[in-house]
Amino acid sequence: MGEKHPYKTRQRQAVSDFLSAHRDRYLSVDDVFGLMRAEGQGVGRTTAYRTLESLATEGCVAKVVAPGGGESRYRLIDPERRDEGQLVCLSCGRAIPLDCEMLPEFYQHVEGEHGFKIDFSRTVLYGLCESCRKGD
């Protein structure tokens, strides 16, 4: 009973490969499902959802919920940059590494003054990227 069906393994690998090819964006389940279908990959929406949730639980994929309780979005985590936050564009979904010299000081302030320890790997700031602000 512990054996996995090869079809599911292929679909899981297809979703992982797709995320790897789009690692600069947070994508919703519908984004993953729709774009994979458009590329001719036969992965169902439910399979895409279950695979994304499984990869998130395993710590391979970052999962964020859009402000206001919007749909969850997923992005492959770069193993070399696990402890790095992200800037996420609300318009195009692009993820930009939040690599800034000021962050350690900010994190220390929040912990010291507010008694709250921030999880670097889950730090996401939402806004608009430069391209979307300019209307490109």
Side-chain angles (χ1 to χ4, degrees):
M1 185 165 172
E3 208 172 303
K4 291 188 176 184
H5 190 280
Y7 184 67
K8 289 182 182 178
T9 302
R10 281 194 308 272
Q11 288 185 324
R12 178 183 171 92
Q13 187 60 52
V15 171
S16 293
D17 291 346
F18 180 82
L19 289 175
S20 183
H22 297 87
R23 65 177 60 235
D24 67 333
R25 305 232 184 276
Y26 276 90
L27 301 166
S28 69
V29 172
D30 288 332
D31 292 336
V32 171
F33 167 69
L35 292 168
M36 288 184 77
R37 294 285 274 202
E39 292 176 1
Q41 298 186 47
V43 173
R45 187 183 187 287
T46 301
T47 300
Y49 171 75
R50 288 183 181 155
T51 301
L52 291 167
E53 285 294 311
S54 174
L55 291 169
T57 299
E58 293 166 15
C60 302
V61 166
K63 175 183 175 182
V64 298
V65 178
E71 66 184 332
S72 296
R73 293 184 170 268
Y74 305 83
R75 182 188 58 80
L76 197 63
I77 293 174
D78 183 344
E80 301 294 318
R81 301 174 108 168
R82 274 198 177 282
D83 292 335
E84 185 175 79
Q86 300 290 310
L87 302 171
V88 178
C89 181
L90 290 168
S91 180
C92 70
R94 183 171 170 230
I96 303 163
L98 182 56
D99 181 20
C100 178
E101 295 174 4
M102 295 179 68
L103 287 178
E105 187 177 323
F106 174 71
Y107 290 141
Q108 288 172 358
H109 166 79
V110 169
E111 187 172 6
E113 295 296 318
H114 305 282
F116 189 84
K117 186 163 178 63
I118 296 173
D119 180 348
F120 293 104
S121 67
R122 296 176 184 250
T123 301
V124 178
L125 299 177
Y126 295 94
L128 293 174
C129 70
E130 188 173 359
S131 293
C132 289
R133 280 193 346 264
K134 290 181 177 178
D136 293 347

